[in-house]
Amino acid sequence: MLNIGFTPDSDMDIPAGAERAWRDGRIGLATLSAADLRYGWFAYRTDFEVGGHAFLSAAREPLVDIMFTLAHTLQSLRANGSAEIDFTESSYVIRLELTGDQVTFTSSHRAPVEPPRCAVEEYAAVVRAFVATGAAWLVESRPAIAESPALHELRALVSDPAGGGTGDLGRRTV
């Protein structure tokens, strides 16, 4: 069983260093680059659990960053048979490796003795659902972001049906 989810927190939508510019109207969500959105904007509690092992549990991660990272793992798994989820602010890494029709998960910290696995199709479906749910939440809560090239790029990254279905296994807690 795979669970990837986030818990929105409007107090963490805007990075502390950008609050004044945001209030003054000098920052527009539609014009922020993907890199800007990936660093500090929309930092929500994120959970990532595979087979009962919590790789992330209520970790505060920028939602756009985790969505891009997960979307890129789909491409990397398809191209290389392996992928990594890493974090700018720490040395923690979650490694993914294709083993037949399964994805095996290991980590640089607190790794379980027996690495958890899930079906490749399940992983692809949950990642796609997570990205779709995250993008929908952002547009719902901050409509100006709907025109962001970053959201268009994210949707394109996960739109390839060759990697599996969209599913509805992503979780959003409000």
Side-chain angles (χ1 to χ4, degrees), residues 2-8 42-49 56 59 61-74 85 87 122-138 151 154-155 158 165-173:
L2 173 66
N3 176 46
I4 305 171
F6 68 96
T7 305
F42 309 103
Y44 298 151
R45 287 182 43 213
T46 303
D47 297 302
F48 187 102
E49 183 179 320
L56 297 176
E61 298 297 332
L63 181 60
V64 175
D65 187 47
I66 199 76
M67 290 191 306
F68 265 104
T69 300
L70 292 172
H72 283 294
T73 65
L74 295 178
I85 301 168
F87 304 90
E122 179 184 8
Y123 182 71
V126 171
V127 167
R128 286 191 172 94
F130 179 80
V131 171
T133 300
W137 168 254
L138 291 173
L151 282 190
L154 258 172
R155 288 181 178 120
V158 296
T166 57
D168 61 356
L169 298 175
R171 177 178 63 78
R172 172 180 63 159
T173 307

Side-chain angles (χ1 to χ4, degrees), residues 5 34-35 39 58 75 87 91 94 100 102 107 122 125 137-138 141 145:
Y39 191 74
Q75 293 182 337
F87 304 90
S91 62
I94 302 168
Q102 300 280 304
S107 65
E122 179 184 8
W137 168 254
L138 291 173
S141 65
I145 203 168

Side-chain angles (χ1 to χ4, degrees), residues 70-155:
L70 292 172
H72 283 294
T73 65
L74 295 178
Q75 293 182 337
S76 187
L77 282 171
R78 186 173 24 245
N80 307 318
S82 63
E84 288 188 348
I85 301 168
D86 58 4
F87 304 90
T88 304
E89 301 297 322
S90 76
S91 62
Y92 186 56
V93 177
I94 302 168
R95 291 177 188 84
L96 292 71
E97 185 173 337
L98 284 179
T99 310
D101 63 349
Q102 300 280 304
V103 179
T104 301
F105 299 82
T106 58
S107 65
S108 58
H109 300 82
R110 303 177 315 273
V113 175
E114 181 64 32
R117 300 170 185 247
C118 74
V120 172
E121 296 83 15
E122 179 184 8
Y123 182 71
V126 171
V127 167
R128 286 191 172 94
F130 179 80
V131 171
T133 300
W137 168 254
L138 291 173
V139 169
E140 179 184 311
S141 65
R142 303 286 184 169
I145 203 168
E147 299 305 316
S148 169
L151 282 190
H152 296 293
E153 184 182 346
L154 258 172
R155 288 181 178 120

Side-chain angles (χ1 to χ4, degrees), residues 51-62:
H53 179 76
F55 287 94
L56 297 176
S57 179
R60 276 219 184 263
E61 298 297 332

